[in-house]
Amino acid sequence: MQDDLLAQAQAWLTEDPDPDTRAELARLIDAKDVTELAARFGGTLQFGTAGLRGELGAGPMRMNRTVVIRAAAGLAAYLRKQGHEGGLVVIGYDARHKSADFARDTASVMTGAGLRAAVLPRPLPTPVLAFAIRHLGAVAGVEVTASHNPPRDNGYKVYLGDGSQIVPPADTDIAAEIAAVPSLTTVSRPTEGWETLDDSVLDAYLARTDAVLAKDSPRTARTVYTAMHGVGKDVLLAAFARAGFPAPALVTEQADPDPDFPTVAFPNPEEPGAMDLAFAKARETDPDLIIANDPDADRCAAAVKDGGDWRMLRGDEVGALLAAHLVNRGAQGTFAESIVSSSLLGRIAAKAGLAHEETLTGFKWIARVENLRYGYEEALGYCVDPDGVRDKDGITAALLITELASVLKSQGRTLADLLDDLAVEHGLHATDQLSVRVQDLSVIADTMRRLREQPPTHLADLPITRAEDLTQGTDKLPPTDGLRYTLDGARVIVRPSGTEPKLKCYLEVVVPVTAHAGLPAARARATELLAAIKRDLSEAAGI
C-alpha cells in the first residue's frame, strides 16, 4: 500500500502546475507520510450539485489547480456535447486563497476548448456572477468560492445558462466528463485569449438593485454593516448609496477581504461569536438594525435590538419579514422555500392568495420554481429579484430588509414589532437547529441508519403522526437523503449537510396565540418544546 500511495503521489506531482502544492506534496513524499498521503489520495473530491468544495492542498481529495483544471475540462466537454461550441462562459471569484488562480485556470481551459471565456474584473459577490450569466447571455458560469466555509477551504460552483445552479442530471453528466480526462497533458491551456470584463456588468447589476425597492419608499433606517472579511463591502455600499440610505457604519475589523478571516472561527454570521464585533459597533452607534453578509455576499443576516441588547434574527424570521413586506407592497407570483424552512411562509402566502411551493434544500431547486417571485432558505439565503438573480443575493436582501426597517421606523415601529404581529396573526412559529460537525463522515451515515432502523415515536411527549424517509421522494419532491417527522404542532427534518461535514436537524414548533398579551407565554412554551425536542432527538440519534 505504501508503494502504491507513493507512486500515485509521484504521478500527481509530475502533472501539478502549482509550485505551492508541488512543494507540499514533495515534502510528504520525502517524509513517506503514509497517513497524510492516504487522506489526500484515498479517492477524489466528488463533483455534485454544489460543484466542488473542500480543503486546499495537494492531491485529488483536496482543492487545487490540478483538480480545478480537470473540473473545467469536464465542464467544457459537457458544454460542447450540449451544442454550446463557441458559447460564452463567465467566471467570478471571491477573495479566498487560490481563488484568482482557479478562475484564471478555468478561463484558460474554456478558451483552449473552443469556448469563449470572460472573467469578472476582481473578487466580487457571487450574485454579481449569477446576474452576469443572464445579462451577458452566457451558456454557463463558474463561481470560485467556498462561501462561509473555514479559511482552509475553497470551492467551485457551476451555473448553467438560465443563471441557476446545476441540478441532476447535469451534475452527474459533468462528473463523468471530468472522470474521462486522462491527464492534464491532454488539456489545452493557452496563456491568453479570454476577456477580463470591465465594470459595466457590475454597473448593470447595481442599476438592477434599485428595482427591488418601492419607488418613493422611506430610506431612513441606520445600519451597522459587516462584510465578515469577504467581498461584499464595496458593492453593498454602492447599492445603499444609489438607494439613498444612510451610509452604514462599518465593522472596520471585518470590512476588507482577508482570506484568513482573523476575527472569526468560522466566517458565517450564524456561528457563535461571528457577530460579536457587529454587536459592539451597534452598542456604540445605536442603529436601527445590523446587516451582515457572509464572505461571498450571497447570504444576508440581520440583527435587532431586543430588550437592552442586540440579537441575531433567525433566517426564518428574516424570511417571514421580507415575505410580509413584499405582500404589503402587492407582490404577485409564487413564494417558495426549502422544506427545512419555516411553515410560516406558507401561511403568509395563503392569506395573501399567493401560490406557495416547497423544494429540496438549496437555491438550485428554489430558483427553478415556476413563476417565482420570492424564495428563501433558513440558512440566510433570500432571492428577492428572481428576474435579475436566480440565486440567493445578500446585497438585494440587505436593501429590502433596510427598506422595511425604514417603513416601520416611519410608523414608530420596529422589525420586532412586525414579528409580533405575524405571530398573533398566524401563530408563533419558532425554529431551532441541532447541528453536529464531524471529523469522520461515517458518523453521519451511522446516525441516519440508526434513525431509519429505530425511528422515534415521540419527541417532547408529542406523538410523531407521520414519519417520511425522503430517500423515497414524495409526490412533489425528488429523492434526497433526509428524514421528516410531523408532530402535533411541530416538525423535525434530519439531513446531512450538502456543503460541510455536518449533520443538521431542523426543528419547528407552532404555538397558537390570540393576542399580543399572550406572546411571552407562547415564547416560553416554544422555548420549552424546542429544548425538549432537541434533547429527545439527540438521544434517539445517538449524537
Side-chain angles (χ1 to χ4, degrees):
M1 177 185 170
Q2 177 174 321
D3 289 346
D4 286 349
L5 268 177
L6 290 170
Q8 271 184 280
Q10 194 62 53
W12 186 277
L13 184 63
T14 60
E15 283 196 352
D16 192 340
D18 188 333
D20 294 337
T21 44
R22 281 177 59 82
E24 177 189 317
L25 188 52
R27 284 194 300 273
L28 295 174
I29 293 171
D30 290 345
K32 293 186 169 54
D33 189 338
V34 177
T35 303
E36 190 59 32
L37 288 171
R40 283 133 181 283
F41 288 86
T44 58
L45 273 187
Q46 292 304 299
F47 187 93
T49 49
L52 293 166
R53 199 176 287 189
E55 187 176 343
L56 290 163
M61 288 293 290
R62 298 287 185 267
M63 282 296 296
N64 51 64
R65 290 184 61 199
T66 303
V67 164
V68 164
I69 289 166
R70 285 176 169 273
L75 174 60
Y78 168 82
L79 291 171
R80 290 177 58 158
K81 285 187 177 177
Q82 295 293 312
H84 296 311
E85 178 83 35
L88 175 67
V89 179
V90 62
I91 302 151
Y93 59 103
D94 67 11
R96 283 177 178 265
H97 293 295
K98 298 290 180 183
S99 286
D101 294 339
F102 295 167
R104 187 171 55 251
D105 283 332
T106 301
S108 170
V109 171
M110 295 300 160
T111 303
L115 293 144
R116 292 180 296 125
V119 184
L120 292 179
R122 59 186 169 279
L124 287 167
T126 293
V128 177
L129 180 276
F131 167 83
I133 295 165
R134 289 157 67 92
H135 180 68
L136 297 174
V139 298
V142 171
E143 176 70 19
V144 180
T145 181
S147 190
H148 56 279
N149 275 38
R152 63 180 181 275
D153 288 4
N154 212 327
Y156 198 80
K157 188 185 290 190
V158 176
Y159 298 76
L160 293 181
D162 62 355
S164 55
Q165 298 172 48
I166 53 169
V167 295
D171 57 342
T172 50
D173 292 346
I174 295 167
E177 296 293 347
I178 295 169
V181 177
S183 78
L184 257 58
T185 59
T186 66
V187 180
S188 173
R189 288 183 288 140
T191 56
E192 57 185 14
W194 58 89
E195 179 184 1
T196 299
L197 295 165
D198 59 20
D199 275 352
S200 58
V201 170
L202 176 59
D203 292 341
Y205 167 82
L206 285 168
R208 178 90 205 179
T209 63
D210 299 349
V212 306
L213 302 174
K215 198 173 182 274
D216 303 325
S217 61
R219 309 280 167 91
T220 57
R222 294 169 51 253
T223 55
V224 159
Y225 172 69
T226 175
M228 206 64 67
H229 298 295
V231 297
K233 180 193 72 173
D234 290 347
V235 178
L236 182 131
L237 290 180
F240 270 54
R242 287 179 65 98
F245 288 115
L250 298 179
V251 179
T252 53
E253 301 94 328
Q254 298 174 334
D256 295 317
D258 187 331
D260 294 320
F261 304 103
T263 69
V264 289
F266 291 95
N268 178 354
E270 292 179 295
E271 292 283 347
M275 294 288 287
D276 286 356
L277 288 170
F279 292 158
K281 187 72 175 180
R283 290 177 198 119
E284 285 174 28
T285 58
D286 194 30
D288 297 297
L289 76 160
I290 299 171
I291 297 289
N293 286 140
D294 67 337
D296 69 326
D298 63 350
R299 286 173 169 83
C300 175
V304 297
K305 202 84 165 281
D306 186 18
D309 207 357
W310 291 83
R311 78 166 178 96
M312 269 275 289
L313 294 177
R314 290 192 165 275
D316 285 316
E317 291 178 306
V318 175
L321 287 168
L322 292 177
H325 184 42
L326 288 170
V327 164
N328 194 48
R329 278 179 29 184
Q332 295 295 309
T334 300
F335 280 30
E337 63 184 323
S338 63
I339 57 170
V340 300
S341 303
S342 173
S343 59
L344 177 55
L345 183 69
R347 298 192 184 197
I348 292 171
K351 177 137 192 201
L354 298 175
H356 170 252
E357 290 285 341
E358 281 190 325
T359 74
L360 292 185
T361 309
F363 265 83
K364 57 185 175 280
W365 300 109
I366 294 170
R368 286 182 156 73
V369 167
E370 194 172 337
N371 195 31
L372 180 67
R373 175 59 186 88
Y374 168 64
Y376 100 90
E377 184 156 84
E378 56 75 42
L380 309 181
Y382 312 95
C383 175
V384 301
D385 178 25
D387 291 340
V389 175
R390 261 189 195 274
D391 199 2
K392 54 188 176 293
D393 182 345
I395 305 296
T396 49
L399 286 171
L400 200 63
I401 195 72
T402 308
E403 178 185 58
L404 174 57
S406 299
V407 170
L408 292 166
K409 185 178 182 178
S410 72
Q411 301 165 354
R413 304 174 72 236
T414 66
L415 295 172
D417 293 331
L418 180 52
L419 284 172
D420 287 350
D421 292 350
L422 292 172
V424 172
E425 188 174 359
H426 302 288
L428 177 69
H429 290 62
T431 56
D432 201 357
Q433 193 179 122
L434 173 62
S435 182
V436 182
R437 188 180 293 272
V438 300
Q439 295 295 320
D440 180 357
L441 289 176
S442 68
V443 172
I444 294 176
D446 290 345
T447 300
M448 296 299 290
R449 184 169 57 251
R450 174 174 172 155
L451 287 170
R452 287 187 170 106
E453 292 173 355
Q454 301 172 312
T457 57
H458 289 73
L459 295 171
D461 293 329
L462 300 173
I464 292 175
T465 56
R466 189 178 184 196
E468 298 167 274
D469 186 342
L470 298 176
T471 55
Q472 308 303 310
T474 71
D475 56 344
K476 291 195 170 181
L477 299 171
T480 189
D481 187 7
L483 299 164
R484 178 163 59 180
Y485 304 118
T486 303
L487 303 90
D488 184 15
R491 182 220 64 200
V492 173
I493 293 175
V494 183
R495 62 177 281 272
S497 170
T499 56
E500 296 178 272
K502 278 184 173 181
L503 181 73
K504 291 187 166 183
C505 310
Y506 304 85
L507 324 176
E508 179 178 40
V509 299
V510 183
V511 180
V513 55
T514 55
H516 283 75
L519 281 170
R523 288 206 170 92
R525 174 62 178 155
T527 300
E528 175 189 321
L529 279 173
L530 287 169
I533 291 172
K534 196 181 284 192
R535 179 196 65 228
D536 292 353
L537 184 62
S538 294
E539 186 177 332
I543 52 177

